[in-house]
Amino acid sequence: MLKKATLLILGSLAIRLGFFLYGIYQDANYKVRYTDIDYYVFHDAARYVYESLQKGTIGSPYWRETYRYTPLLSWLLVPNHYFLWFHLGKLIFVAFDLFTGLIILSLVRKCVKSRESSLPLFLSSLWLLNPMVITISTRGNAESVICFLITLALYLLQRNCLTLSAIVYGLSIHFKIYPIIYCVPIAFFLYRKDKQFTKVILYGACSLLALLVSSAAMYKIYGSQYLDQAYWYHLYRTDHRHNFALWNLLLYYDSAQSTTSLLSKFAFAPQMIVTMSVTALEWYQPTFENLLNVLFLQTFAFVTYNKVCTSQYFVWYLIFLPFFIANTTISWQKGVCMAAVWVATQGFWLFQGYLLEFEGRNVFFPDMLIASALFFLGNTWLMGQFIDDIKTRALSAMNKAKKIN
């Protein structure tokens, strides 16, 4: 088992390095760049930080237009400028990507009830050998950092290291706002596990403290610009390009107006209702495995209903997919059908995007709207299958417990 795991890890590293090197080649030889456009933003923001350090002053990453992230991300890429290598930051993201895979491998071993030794390797390979995951990190997208923080927090939670887990969880919220939705299911889990509300209070207090301390430190250095760009911007953003969301067309029309429509301002309302409602599934079975299932479903719902939905957001729920599949009751035939729906609706939207971006065709209406609607409906159907699966597993476990008692 150890030998196979080592081969999986080394193989996944080799594949990532291959993608990384190919990306450098593509950037140098083709008009279409492999490097994610966001990476240029991270790199430029880090340059302002580095150059100011050289002068003994404080430079803001927000001097770089469209930088909407925590300053910690720009700090991570300062080595790019110290070592004068543009692509170094991608290797940093690849490292986080691999560390995430290692944590998934460790956690999935706890979730697999089968004695088949190869199953944990197969499940963890859904992350370690996933082309989408590999492409996102090697293109220079920073999602691997937030994925690492979330899986590390869960790893520490599973080992009952509550204080450390809470601190890491608080930092994950600082790094990107969306993990805050996990606070309710985590609180449910902690309470239902031991019926000790003090653990819930401890975890919440430590998480909040980590979030406040990290945010206060950034505010002290960068002022209100940090709050506006890293937090408030995401409440009123109207991005309409490369957006799978059903709100895409509305955001496009809003971008041409001087004011944002009331409907797009409250786009988060149905998202939060659905996202928080699915946490009720945790009451069926207060186990760590079911917590991971609920987090998967919750993240899937959050991304599906988000007013901005791009391919990089898919990795947010892909970190939970191995755990969900570990003890699923969904047949492989139905699973293939579900995967086909997800891929086909996504592919249809990407085809419309290609016609728009590369062919210059006016396909915004009705083509893009139809593609976004199909993708949304397909994902909503998938959510229904996931909910049924979680309920079936939970009810089966409850019935077994009754028989034993």
Side-chain angles (χ1 to χ4, degrees), residues 41-341:
V41 177
F42 306 154
H43 177 79
D44 292 345
R47 175 168 56 84
Y48 288 116
V49 175
Y50 175 74
E51 289 179 350
S52 65
L53 289 174
Q54 294 290 92
K55 298 174 183 177
T57 59
I58 298 177
S60 173
Y62 301 108
W63 292 346
R64 204 308 184 175
E65 187 179 0
T66 74
Y67 185 81
R68 321 279 192 193
Y69 315 90
T70 171
L72 295 180
L73 178 56
S74 65
W75 294 7
L76 274 177
L77 267 65
V78 164
N80 280 18
H81 302 279
Y82 182 81
F83 292 103
L84 301 177
W85 191 26
F86 172 77
H87 300 284
L88 181 59
K90 296 178 187 177
L91 292 179
I92 295 175
F93 296 153
V94 166
F96 279 107
D97 185 357
L98 281 173
F99 290 146
T100 301
L102 290 174
I103 296 173
I104 289 174
L105 176 60
S106 177
L107 283 175
V108 83
R109 286 172 175 166
K110 306 287 185 180
C111 300
V112 173
K113 295 180 172 60
S114 172
R115 295 183 179 180
E116 184 182 349
S117 61
S118 61
L119 187 56
L121 296 178
F122 167 74
L123 293 172
S124 58
S125 69
L126 295 176
W127 176 270
L128 287 168
L129 301 181
N130 191 314
M132 177 177 286
V133 172
I134 296 170
T135 300
I136 286 175
S137 64
T138 55
R139 290 186 67 212
N141 193 284
E143 300 306 324
S144 61
V145 182
I146 186 66
C147 290
F148 168 75
L149 291 173
I150 292 171
T151 51
L152 179 60
L154 292 171
Y155 175 81
L156 294 169
L157 178 63
Q158 191 273 333
R159 290 181 170 264
N160 208 34
C161 302
L162 298 187
T163 302
L164 286 176
S165 174
I167 291 172
V168 176
Y169 174 60
L171 289 175
S172 73
I173 300 173
H174 168 80
F175 201 89
K176 211 146 196 171
I177 304 172
Y178 86 89
I180 198 171
I181 64 176
Y182 302 150
C183 64
V184 174
I186 289 176
F188 281 177
F189 167 73
L190 288 173
Y191 177 73
R192 291 293 301 278
K193 182 183 178 184
D194 300 314
K195 295 294 191 298
Q196 295 182 14
F197 198 64
T198 54
K199 287 189 176 181
V200 179
I201 296 175
L202 172 65
Y203 197 93
C206 291
S207 299
L208 182 61
L209 183 63
L211 173 61
L212 291 178
V213 168
S214 56
S215 299
M218 295 300 102
Y219 178 76
K220 184 176 182 179
I221 298 173
Y222 300 107
S224 59
Q225 192 177 33
Y226 155 67
L227 294 177
D228 184 60
Q229 297 300 314
Y231 291 108
W232 311 142
Y233 163 79
H234 298 280
L235 297 178
Y236 58 78
R237 64 187 296 186
T238 56
D239 308 40
H240 60 85
R241 292 185 178 274
H242 314 291
N243 185 0
F244 291 90
L246 192 61
W247 305 93
N248 183 40
L249 190 63
L250 178 62
L251 295 179
Y252 174 70
Y253 288 138
D254 273 356
S255 68
Q257 305 295 325
S258 57
T259 58
T260 304
S261 68
L262 186 65
L263 185 59
S264 61
K265 283 182 178 179
F266 288 93
F268 68 90
Q271 177 191 36
M272 295 313 298
I273 291 172
V274 175
T275 300
M276 301 315 296
S277 295
V278 299
T279 60
L281 291 168
E282 196 172 350
W283 288 99
Y284 282 96
Q285 193 179 13
T287 63
F288 184 74
E289 289 78 6
N290 196 43
L291 169 64
L292 296 177
N293 292 337
V294 171
L295 295 183
F296 167 73
L297 180 60
Q298 195 180 30
T299 312
F300 192 90
F302 182 87
V303 174
T304 298
Y305 280 80
N306 200 30
K307 66 179 180 180
V308 177
C309 177
T310 60
S311 297
Q312 67 195 50
Y313 294 177
F314 300 157
V315 300
W316 295 356
Y317 54 74
L318 287 178
I319 58 174
F320 300 110
L321 184 61
F323 313 117
F324 186 87
I325 295 177
N327 298 295
T328 184
T329 61
I330 297 174
S331 66
W332 70 266
Q333 295 94 336
K334 188 174 184 179
V336 170
C337 178
M338 292 168 66
V341 169

Side-chain angles (χ1 to χ4, degrees), residues 19-35 139:
F19 272 67
F20 169 75
L21 294 174
Y22 170 76
I24 295 176
Y25 172 80
Q26 180 173 321
D27 285 352
N29 294 276
Y30 294 94
K31 290 183 180 180
V32 178
R33 298 296 181 91
Y34 181 83
T35 301
R139 290 186 67 212

